[in-house]
Amino acid sequence: MPVIQIAPSILACDFARLGEQVVATAEAGASLIHVDVMDGRFVPNISIGLPIVQSLRPLADQYNLTLDVHLMIVEPERYLEAFATAGADILTVHVETCPHLHRTIQQIKELGVKAGVALNPATSPTLLEEILPEVDLVVVMSVNPGFGGQKYIPASTNKIRRLRQMLHVTRSAALLEVDGGVKVENAAEIGRAGADILVAGSALFHGDIAANFKSLSLSANNQ
Ligand code: DX5
Ligand code: ZN
């Protein structure tokens, strides 16, 4: 059982074959599915939302998958309940969209869902210092959010190291997820920097899903 997990980002899948491709990732060893929700306001793109989470829920139960929902939307507090009802296991909000982050994190937890916080490449980890003990997941964006298939921003590796250290100091049990531009070539570096979960979209769904999953997982776990 690998220690560092690969979370398939369905943004890169063929939506006409969504169920089939999610099952392929589960059979390859995935235990999380990363769902990218974009509103065309916080990020310059519109993607998917509640109906997809709802459709994936039975499949997630059948294959024991955690639905990791990444909300790239303004005013996320307006939709937390709906996403929890649709079947999200983890709801991640962006620190840049939450002036009352503590309240928003409590709202997520009160819904019985795990709470995550994401930060953009230009956002300092120090903004999370006070909230780290309260969250279940920290997502380091290693690309500017909005699109799949972008190039990993090299400075992200140092940010992952800093956050790993901050999690240690604040005694937070939150998992550290890295999202954007993950490839076989950089997965080992990201894993060594302290990530627990690597999101992979284009590197996983373009081509042979099972083979890609295996290579990413081996690289992330540095074997
Ligand atoms: C970017 C999304 C990512 C993205 C990852 O806004 O949050 O999850 O889909 O895709 P790749 O792995 O192709 O960079
Ligand atoms: Zn994402």
Side-chain angles (χ1 to χ4, degrees):
M1 179 78 179
V3 178
I4 300 173
Q5 303 293 316
I6 304 297
S9 163
I10 59 167
L11 191 63
C13 82
D14 174 356
F15 281 102
R17 297 164 59 208
L18 176 62
E20 183 194 318
Q21 296 202 334
V22 166
V23 169
T25 68
E27 284 171 349
S31 55
L32 298 102
I33 296 294
H34 186 85
V35 182
D36 285 311
V37 180
M38 304 178 183
D39 65 352
R41 292 194 60 206
F42 176 59
V43 292
N45 194 10
I46 296 174
S47 60
I48 53 176
L50 292 161
I52 295 282
V53 174
Q54 209 173 353
S55 299
L56 288 178
R57 188 64 254 169
L59 217 50
D61 288 335
Q62 195 182 339
Y63 288 88
N64 209 10
L65 296 163
T66 296
L67 292 182
D68 168 25
V69 177
H70 180 190
L71 297 176
M72 286 164 274
I73 64 176
V74 295
E75 299 176 19
E77 59 283 350
R78 294 172 58 205
Y79 296 96
L80 297 174
E81 191 174 351
F83 275 100
T85 305
D89 294 300
I90 307 173
L91 283 173
T92 296
V93 293
H94 267 260
V95 60
E96 299 86 2
T97 63
C98 296
H100 304 288
L101 184 60
H102 187 276
R103 180 185 290 148
T104 307
I105 295 297
Q106 301 312 319
Q107 281 174 356
I108 296 173
K109 297 210 283 196
E110 277 161 21
L111 291 165
V113 173
K114 290 200 165 138
V117 62
L119 69 172
N120 278 344
T123 304
S124 170
T126 54
L127 282 181
L128 298 189
E129 209 169 348
E130 304 298 326
I131 203 73
L132 285 183
E134 307 283 335
V135 297
D136 301 295
L137 182 74
V138 176
V139 181
V140 173
M141 290 308 302
S142 41
V143 297
N144 285 296
F147 302 93
Q150 300 182 81
K151 202 175 169 307
Y152 180 83
I153 296 171
S156 311
T157 304
N158 203 32
K159 201 175 196 177
I160 299 159
R161 282 194 204 103
R162 281 173 69 193
L163 271 158
R164 171 52 63 204
Q165 179 65 16
M166 285 170 68
L167 288 170
H168 179 70
V169 170
T170 57
R171 296 172 191 270
S172 168
L175 294 174
L176 188 50
E177 180 173 277
V178 177
D179 187 6
V182 172
K183 305 274 171 236
V184 172
E185 294 72 25
N186 59 19
E189 171 186 318
I190 298 167
R192 274 196 300 271
D196 297 301
I197 302 166
L198 275 56
V199 174
S202 45
L204 181 60
F205 286 102
H206 298 169
D208 182 331
I209 293 174
N212 291 341
F213 188 92
K214 194 172 172 201
S215 318
L216 284 161
S217 184
L218 282 173
S219 172
N221 287 282
N222 205 12
Q223 288 161 25

